[in-house]
Amino acid sequence: MGHREDLLEGAKRCLYERGYAHTTTRDIVAASGTNLASIGYHFGSKEALLTQALIEILSDWSDNIEGIELPEQTAGDPIDQFQEIWERVTGVFAVGAMEWNGSFEAFVQMKRSPEVLASIARKYEEGRLGLPKVFEGVVDADGERANRAFGGLLLSLLIGQAVQREVDPEHAPTARDLAEAIRLFATAAANAKRDD
């Protein structure tokens, strides 16, 4: 790796360990094994380097989700299939714990940095469009609008679950809990149709 890549890796480590607000240029230099002049030469400023590091953390987070090995789709109860698939999707919390923590740093900085905000918006749109593919054969959203709505629901579940695991891991909902909640809605919807 060259100095630029070393700086990015060092900045990411600092974001994971110290957070954006508490990372100094000296911290980045120590973590990257480079020198102070390299930051200015490659990025112009510490803030520009940290912004780029945040954007890369978001990409790492997205790559973790895209790399999930999914179970074979089989006929059966779609809610049971949701639970099995969602357990694998949320398995990225354990595998990519540092990326998740780094993405929380990005949320804090997004209102201060149009570049970070634009990157988060792009990743969210990729998530809304990509997450439904994980459930192909289980739920077939008919049309672009339905697909985006389903993707939005999945992304909301994913982010909400990530936040709850970070704040209160002992009580955060599991895939089984979410499947049980979906089953309650499905039962209520079936009862409402029967009553009509």
Side-chain angles (χ1 to χ4, degrees):
M1 286 196 301
H3 273 207
R4 187 177 197 286
E5 293 78 18
D6 291 339
L7 284 166
L8 280 168
E9 288 305 311
K12 287 198 287 189
R13 265 195 312 279
C14 288
L15 287 168
Y16 298 142
E17 295 168 7
R18 303 179 62 77
Y20 191 101
H22 298 290
T23 294
T24 67
T25 52
R26 292 185 194 285
D27 295 329
I28 296 169
V29 167
S32 65
T34 61
N35 57 60
L36 199 56
S38 294
I39 295 173
Y41 177 77
H42 290 288
F43 294 95
S45 69
K46 174 189 86 165
E47 290 74 21
L49 168 57
L50 289 174
T51 296
Q52 187 58 44
L54 283 171
I55 290 168
E56 288 203 8
I57 286 170
L58 290 171
S59 290
D60 294 345
W61 170 83
S62 183
D63 291 345
N64 283 341
I65 291 174
E66 288 173 11
I68 296 168
E69 281 192 41
L70 296 171
E72 288 273 329
Q73 298 300 326
T74 58
D77 179 23
I79 297 173
D80 289 341
Q81 290 182 31
F82 165 84
Q83 180 179 333
E84 185 178 356
I85 293 168
W86 203 250
E87 282 171 355
R88 294 189 187 208
V89 169
T90 56
V92 300
F93 296 143
V95 173
M98 292 189 65
E99 285 82 2
W100 277 105
N101 289 340
S103 70
F104 290 122
E105 282 291 327
F107 296 141
V108 172
Q109 293 304 317
M110 71 182 175
K111 290 298 183 183
R112 295 184 185 104
S113 169
E115 193 176 356
V116 172
L117 181 60
S119 181
I120 291 173
R122 274 192 310 276
K123 291 299 176 188
Y124 277 14
E125 183 62 5
E126 288 173 16
R128 281 187 289 271
L129 298 175
L131 279 170
K133 293 175 185 166
V134 174
F135 289 92
E136 282 177 358
V138 179
V139 174
D140 294 315
D142 189 23
E144 185 179 335
R145 189 172 194 282
N147 189 63
R148 177 175 262 109
F150 183 48
L153 174 65
L154 294 172
L155 185 62
S156 296
L157 285 174
L158 187 65
I159 294 167
Q161 201 171 6
V163 171
Q164 289 185 63
R165 282 182 178 210
E166 187 69 21
V167 172
D168 186 9
E170 186 179 333
H171 298 105
T174 64
R176 184 178 184 172
D177 295 332
L178 294 176
E180 186 177 331
I182 292 168
R183 200 172 303 283
L184 290 171
F185 272 105
T187 300
N191 290 340
K193 281 190 177 183
R194 194 173 48 245
D195 292 344
D196 283 345

